Amino acid sequence: MERNLSSISLCEDRRYQDSRYSKPEMDALIMKTRVTVDQTARYNYLREANIALTDDVAWVPMFNDVVTLAHRKGVDGIELEPNGQFWIKDAYRR
């Protein structure tokens, strides 16, 4: 599943909505994801929200950090994601 750009912090009903992004259609989509149990429908709402956010160019990143990840030989299962996050939950020593 693709990563979700439409953080719930963009929704107008959040107390700490500091992005100042406001679009009622987006709020409605995000609110639907909160109450939808059907995972296919939820995925479609999130996909629609992600597309709308990128079409609106809701923000412009002003900082791009480079993540360097090193580990010793014999360690596998570390995942480095395109956004710089890395996961060690499946890491193991050979």
Side-chain angles (χ1 to χ4, degrees):
M1 181 178 254
E2 65 191 59
R3 291 290 175 197
N4 177 18
L5 294 174
S6 55
S7 167
I8 201 64
S9 65
L10 293 174
C11 193
E12 275 297 312
D13 79 329
R14 289 290 287 187
R15 184 184 312 180
Y16 302 109
Q17 203 279 45
D18 59 356
S19 70
R20 301 195 191 277
Y21 178 81
S22 178
K23 188 172 186 178
E25 298 86 6
M26 182 64 65
D27 294 345
L29 281 172
I30 293 172
M31 295 303 284
K32 284 180 183 179
T33 68
R34 289 182 176 181
V35 297
T36 301
V37 178
D38 180 335
Q39 291 302 301
T40 302
R42 188 169 187 275
Y43 173 82
N44 289 331
Y45 292 142
L46 289 171
R47 183 165 173 72
E48 189 177 339
N50 286 343
I51 291 168
L53 278 171
T54 55
D55 286 349
D56 279 358
V57 189
W59 59 82
V60 176
M62 301 302 286
F63 177 77
N64 186 11
D65 194 13
V66 175
V67 175
T68 303
L69 178 65
H71 58 81
R72 68 183 182 181
K73 291 180 184 178
V75 176
D76 285 325
I78 298 175
E79 297 177 46
L80 180 60
E81 305 236 352
N83 65 0
Q85 288 185 310
F86 61 92
W87 304 99
I88 60 171
K89 65 180 172 38
D90 295 323
Y92 63 94
R93 186 188 293 185
R94 282 186 263 156

